[in-house]
Amino acid sequence: MTVARSEPTSTTSGNGTRPSSVRAVVRSRLGIDPRALGAFRIGLGLVVLFDLLVLRAPGLGTFYTDGGILPRSALGELYPALARWSLHAQSGSFWIEAFLLAGTCLLATCVLAGYRSRLAAVGTALLLASLHARNPFLVNGGDTILISLLIIAAFLPLEARWSLRRRLDGRCVGTRSVENRRITSIATATVLVHVVSIYAINAILKFRSDAWMSGVAVPRIFQLEDFIYLLGPVLAEHTAVLTAINWLWIVTLSTSVLLVLSSGWIRSVTVSAFVVAHLGMAATMRLGAFPFVMVAVLLLFFPPRVWDRLAHLVSRFDRGRRLESLATERRSGDKSESSSSEIAVPPRIRRGARLVGVAFLVGFVLISGCWQVVAAGLVDAPAAVADSDLDGASWAFFAPNPPDSYSWYVIEAERESGASMDLVDGEAADFDRPPDAMDRYPTTLWKRYGTKTQGAGAAHLEPAAVYFCGRAPADVESITIYRADQPVDADGPVGEPIRRELIAASCE
């Protein structure tokens, strides 16, 4: 699947075209520097570990077991297909879920370290997909992008640089003969075009949105108290700055095609703009792993000159040792020994495997692209597919229109004495707007669950009532779950919160 050849001698064909020049143009647009592949692999591994250990592990028993808020019986009623094929849904035990999560972390660590990276990437993608299927209310577009990148990564030479596998067996893929040259293949073209398509779809949706094209989308987003954090509340006070960010993001998305059509400093500037934008999102909004997923894949677009300068800077602080020394320690004797130990594969089998891989990648990109076009609402969804099934994994991200309200929950518990309390904070039930809506959610996963279950029907509410009754004080006779919605516009909250009773249940 990978092509990394030396430059051929320039020749001129009968029509005056230089084949070597055409190849050079293609390589400069669709090729990837080996060091970028190494950085991308490390980024993928770190993002998966962050997502699993920081975001999901603390809520493992609450969200992924039968003793939690979505037991397998409820999952089977809501999503019967997911309940059948999800490995995580084959048992409701906490320890089985913990074992599967530990296995996913181990595979992600192999990706990070560069040991059997392709196999580890496939295993990580499959286990993540199974975990997401166990509780689809915790999935967002960033999760599906991460899985798609892991699948494509299985066709990339991830161990070309800075990998444990190369240091252990002395392999010399991507050493001095291709030191600063791009690796070009169907897989490198696929991953680059895949990323551009994500941004392009988002740009189209932005242009079709009245909120974005009137400059009020970002100011409105920063009034959603359950999304913004860290620097977000400070930035929310500066409407003019947010309006400027609104237009800057639209302009940046509009230049996404330059990620593959340009080279040199234009490409470097374009990539840097996207990286800065995503880091800004991470510093101001609760978006899970999404900003870090995009930063990791954007590393693939940086041209060799960026990596050359980075290596030069690192060498200055490393007493003259070159950054590339991590990948080129082995001597030529190790190379010959490693080469002789490899199993020879007949050319016919190699060609067949290559064709199968190309067909899979092309089909994968086409299917995922069509799925996102439907999820984004650019074309009508099939009658058998509910809009809510697509929205949860859409790559639209606040498009075409951002939310115009935020929500929080009140769980009112009636005690034997006749008094009531709010199980969220232990105080008296109060439906006034809280100072910070995120204080009503113990963790980010609770926030995501509360948002995604809106409109999901009663199937998830009954097990939720059982869950809260089981954690209420012994003298609680019944509970009532309410959701409060606070409308907002670009200037802040509009009117009073709207209270909705979701379910009332007896705890006896």
Side-chain angles (χ1 to χ4, degrees), residues 70-116:
L70 187 70
R72 289 177 296 160
S73 56
L75 176 67
E77 182 177 350
L78 288 165
Y79 298 98
L82 298 184
R84 283 195 299 269
W85 74 260
S86 171
L87 180 62
H88 291 73
Q90 304 311 305
S91 172
S93 166
F94 173 84
W95 296 109
I96 295 297
E97 298 301 320
F99 175 78
L100 291 173
L101 185 138
T104 312
C105 289
L106 178 61
L107 290 173
T109 302
C110 289
V111 174
L112 169 65
Y115 184 76
R116 304 288 183 182

Side-chain angles (χ1 to χ4, degrees), residues 254-276:
S254 302
T255 64
S256 59
V257 292
L258 294 178
L259 291 172
V260 292
L261 294 183
S262 65
S263 62
W265 70 268
I266 296 178
R267 184 169 187 165
S268 299
V269 170
T270 305
V271 179
S272 299
F274 277 99
V275 169
V276 170

Side-chain angles (χ1 to χ4, degrees), residues 174-239:
T175 54
R176 291 184 184 276
S177 62
V178 290
E179 190 75 23
N180 297 326
R181 306 278 276 284
R182 291 176 171 90
I183 295 174
T184 308
S185 68
I186 295 296
T188 63
T190 298
V191 70
L192 298 182
V193 172
H194 180 57
V195 174
V196 172
S197 69
I198 293 172
Y199 289 127
I201 290 174
N202 207 262
I204 293 172
L205 291 172
K206 296 290 194 291
F207 282 112
R208 296 179 59 174
S209 166
D210 292 336
W212 283 95
M213 298 312 294
S214 61
V216 301
V218 171
R220 195 163 83 193
I221 290 170
F222 275 78
Q223 298 301 326
L224 303 174
E225 293 183 1
D226 54 350
F227 268 110
I228 60 173
Y229 81 138
L230 294 181
L231 300 179
V234 177
L235 197 57
E237 299 176 1
H238 303 280
T239 305

Side-chain angles (χ1 to χ4, degrees), residues 58-74 94 134-135 411 413 423-424 440-443 445-446 449 458-474 476 478-481 503-508:
L60 193 64
T62 301
F63 295 104
Y64 297 102
T65 68
D66 282 350
I69 201 165
L70 187 70
R72 289 177 296 160
S73 56
F94 173 84
R134 175 60 183 86
N135 194 333
I411 305 173
L423 291 181
V424 175
R440 304 290 302 177
Y441 299 98
T443 65
L445 283 187
W446 274 109
Y449 185 84
H460 81 282
L461 291 172
E462 293 175 1
V466 173
Y467 174 84
F468 288 115
C469 278
R471 284 151 184 80
V476 169
S478 65
I479 65 167
T480 305
I481 301 177
I503 188 172
S506 171
C507 294
E508 297 180 346

Side-chain angles (χ1 to χ4, degrees), residues 308-326:
D308 292 340
R309 292 181 180 180
L310 178 61
H312 177 69
L313 290 174
V314 171
S315 67
R316 293 178 60 184
F317 293 97
D318 199 23
R319 296 182 180 179
R321 291 178 58 189
R322 303 177 65 222
L323 184 64
E324 288 82 358
S325 64
L326 293 174

